[in-house]
Short mmCIF file of all heavy atoms in Angstrom, two decimals:
data_model
loop_
_atom_site.label_atom_id
_atom_site.label_comp_id
_atom_site.label_asym_id
_atom_site.label_seq_id
_atom_site.Cartn_x
_atom_site.Cartn_y
_atom_site.Cartn_z
N HIS A 38 -6.63 15.59 -13.90
CA HIS A 38 -5.48 15.98 -14.74
C HIS A 38 -4.56 16.94 -13.98
O HIS A 38 -5.01 17.96 -13.48
CB HIS A 38 -5.97 16.62 -16.03
CG HIS A 38 -4.85 16.98 -16.96
ND1 HIS A 38 -4.07 16.04 -17.59
CD2 HIS A 38 -4.37 18.19 -17.32
CE1 HIS A 38 -3.17 16.64 -18.31
NE2 HIS A 38 -3.33 17.95 -18.19
N GLY A 39 -3.29 16.58 -13.90
CA GLY A 39 -2.30 17.44 -13.26
C GLY A 39 -2.32 17.42 -11.75
O GLY A 39 -1.59 18.18 -11.11
N GLU A 40 -3.14 16.55 -11.18
CA GLU A 40 -3.22 16.49 -9.71
C GLU A 40 -2.77 15.12 -9.19
O GLU A 40 -2.58 14.18 -9.96
CB GLU A 40 -4.65 16.77 -9.25
CG GLU A 40 -5.15 18.15 -9.66
CD GLU A 40 -6.59 18.39 -9.19
OE1 GLU A 40 -7.12 17.56 -8.44
OE2 GLU A 40 -7.14 19.43 -9.59
N ALA A 41 -2.61 15.01 -7.89
CA ALA A 41 -2.21 13.73 -7.28
C ALA A 41 -3.42 12.79 -7.20
O ALA A 41 -4.57 13.25 -7.16
CB ALA A 41 -1.67 13.98 -5.88
N PRO A 42 -3.18 11.50 -7.18
CA PRO A 42 -4.28 10.56 -6.95
C PRO A 42 -4.90 10.79 -5.58
O PRO A 42 -4.19 11.00 -4.60
CB PRO A 42 -3.59 9.18 -7.02
CG PRO A 42 -2.32 9.42 -7.75
CD PRO A 42 -1.91 10.81 -7.42
N VAL A 43 -6.23 10.74 -5.53
CA VAL A 43 -6.95 10.94 -4.27
C VAL A 43 -7.56 9.61 -3.84
O VAL A 43 -8.25 8.96 -4.64
CB VAL A 43 -8.04 12.02 -4.43
CG1 VAL A 43 -8.90 12.10 -3.17
CG2 VAL A 43 -7.41 13.36 -4.73
N PHE A 44 -7.31 9.22 -2.61
CA PHE A 44 -7.81 7.96 -2.09
C PHE A 44 -9.33 7.95 -2.00
O PHE A 44 -9.95 8.91 -1.53
CB PHE A 44 -7.21 7.71 -0.70
CG PHE A 44 -7.78 6.53 0.01
CD1 PHE A 44 -7.43 5.24 -0.37
CD2 PHE A 44 -8.67 6.69 1.06
CE1 PHE A 44 -7.95 4.15 0.29
CE2 PHE A 44 -9.21 5.61 1.73
CZ PHE A 44 -8.85 4.33 1.34
N LEU A 45 -9.95 6.87 -2.49
CA LEU A 45 -11.40 6.71 -2.41
C LEU A 45 -11.77 5.68 -1.34
O LEU A 45 -12.51 5.97 -0.42
CB LEU A 45 -11.97 6.28 -3.77
CG LEU A 45 -11.86 7.28 -4.90
CD1 LEU A 45 -12.38 6.69 -6.19
CD2 LEU A 45 -12.61 8.57 -4.56
N MET A 46 -11.27 4.47 -1.50
CA MET A 46 -11.59 3.43 -0.52
C MET A 46 -10.65 2.24 -0.68
O MET A 46 -9.99 2.09 -1.69
CB MET A 46 -13.03 2.97 -0.65
CG MET A 46 -13.41 2.31 -1.95
SD MET A 46 -15.19 2.06 -2.04
CE MET A 46 -15.74 3.72 -2.36
N ILE A 47 -10.62 1.43 0.39
CA ILE A 47 -9.81 0.24 0.41
C ILE A 47 -10.70 -0.94 0.74
O ILE A 47 -11.62 -0.84 1.56
CB ILE A 47 -8.67 0.38 1.46
CG1 ILE A 47 -7.81 -0.86 1.51
CG2 ILE A 47 -9.24 0.69 2.83
CD1 ILE A 47 -6.60 -0.70 2.43
N LEU A 48 -10.47 -2.06 0.08
CA LEU A 48 -11.22 -3.28 0.36
C LEU A 48 -10.25 -4.39 0.68
O LEU A 48 -9.30 -4.63 -0.04
CB LEU A 48 -12.07 -3.69 -0.86
CG LEU A 48 -13.14 -2.67 -1.21
CD1 LEU A 48 -12.70 -1.88 -2.45
CD2 LEU A 48 -14.45 -3.34 -1.49
N LEU A 49 -10.51 -5.07 1.79
CA LEU A 49 -9.69 -6.20 2.18
C LEU A 49 -10.32 -7.49 1.67
O LEU A 49 -11.52 -7.56 1.45
CB LEU A 49 -9.58 -6.27 3.70
CG LEU A 49 -8.97 -5.06 4.39
CD1 LEU A 49 -8.96 -5.25 5.89
CD2 LEU A 49 -7.55 -4.82 3.88
N LYS A 50 -9.51 -8.53 1.50
CA LYS A 50 -10.05 -9.82 1.08
C LYS A 50 -11.09 -10.28 2.09
O LYS A 50 -10.97 -10.04 3.28
CB LYS A 50 -8.95 -10.84 0.91
CG LYS A 50 -8.27 -11.28 2.19
CD LYS A 50 -7.26 -12.39 1.87
CE LYS A 50 -6.63 -12.91 3.14
NZ LYS A 50 -5.74 -14.06 2.87
N GLY A 51 -12.12 -10.90 1.54
CA GLY A 51 -13.24 -11.28 2.39
C GLY A 51 -14.55 -10.96 1.72
O GLY A 51 -15.62 -11.23 2.25
N GLY A 52 -14.46 -10.37 0.52
CA GLY A 52 -15.66 -10.13 -0.24
C GLY A 52 -16.51 -8.98 0.26
O GLY A 52 -17.70 -8.90 -0.01
N GLU A 53 -15.91 -8.07 1.02
CA GLU A 53 -16.73 -7.00 1.56
C GLU A 53 -17.06 -5.98 0.49
O GLU A 53 -16.43 -5.87 -0.54
CB GLU A 53 -15.98 -6.31 2.72
CG GLU A 53 -14.75 -5.57 2.29
CD GLU A 53 -14.11 -4.82 3.44
OE1 GLU A 53 -14.73 -3.87 3.94
OE2 GLU A 53 -12.99 -5.17 3.81
N GLN A 54 -18.07 -5.22 0.79
CA GLN A 54 -18.45 -4.13 -0.09
C GLN A 54 -18.45 -2.85 0.74
O GLN A 54 -18.85 -2.83 1.90
CB GLN A 54 -19.85 -4.38 -0.66
CG GLN A 54 -20.30 -3.33 -1.66
CD GLN A 54 -21.33 -3.86 -2.65
OE1 GLN A 54 -21.59 -5.04 -2.68
NE2 GLN A 54 -21.91 -2.99 -3.43
N LYS A 55 -17.98 -1.77 0.12
CA LYS A 55 -17.94 -0.50 0.84
C LYS A 55 -18.63 0.56 0.04
O LYS A 55 -18.73 0.47 -1.19
CB LYS A 55 -16.48 -0.10 1.07
CG LYS A 55 -15.85 -0.74 2.28
CD LYS A 55 -14.60 0.01 2.65
CE LYS A 55 -14.05 -0.50 3.97
NZ LYS A 55 -12.84 0.21 4.36
N GLY A 56 -19.05 1.58 0.70
CA GLY A 56 -19.70 2.69 0.02
C GLY A 56 -19.21 4.00 0.54
O GLY A 56 -18.80 4.12 1.69
N HIS A 57 -19.22 4.96 -0.36
CA HIS A 57 -18.78 6.32 0.00
C HIS A 57 -19.62 7.27 -0.83
O HIS A 57 -19.37 7.46 -2.01
CB HIS A 57 -17.30 6.45 -0.32
CG HIS A 57 -16.75 7.83 -0.16
ND1 HIS A 57 -16.69 8.46 1.05
CD2 HIS A 57 -16.25 8.69 -1.07
CE1 HIS A 57 -16.18 9.66 0.86
NE2 HIS A 57 -15.89 9.82 -0.38
N ASP A 58 -20.65 7.83 -0.21
CA ASP A 58 -21.61 8.66 -0.93
C ASP A 58 -22.25 7.80 -2.01
O ASP A 58 -22.81 6.78 -1.71
CB ASP A 58 -20.89 9.90 -1.49
CG ASP A 58 -21.89 10.97 -1.92
OD1 ASP A 58 -23.08 10.83 -1.59
OD2 ASP A 58 -21.50 11.94 -2.59
#
Side-chain angles (χ1 to χ4, degrees):
Chain A
H38 183 68
E40 300 180 8
V43 173
F44 172 75
L45 294 176
M46 63 189 75
I47 180 174
L48 297 104
L49 301 178
K50 68 175 184 175
E53 67 175 293
Q54 184 155 351
K55 277 197 172 180
H57 173 65
D58 195 10

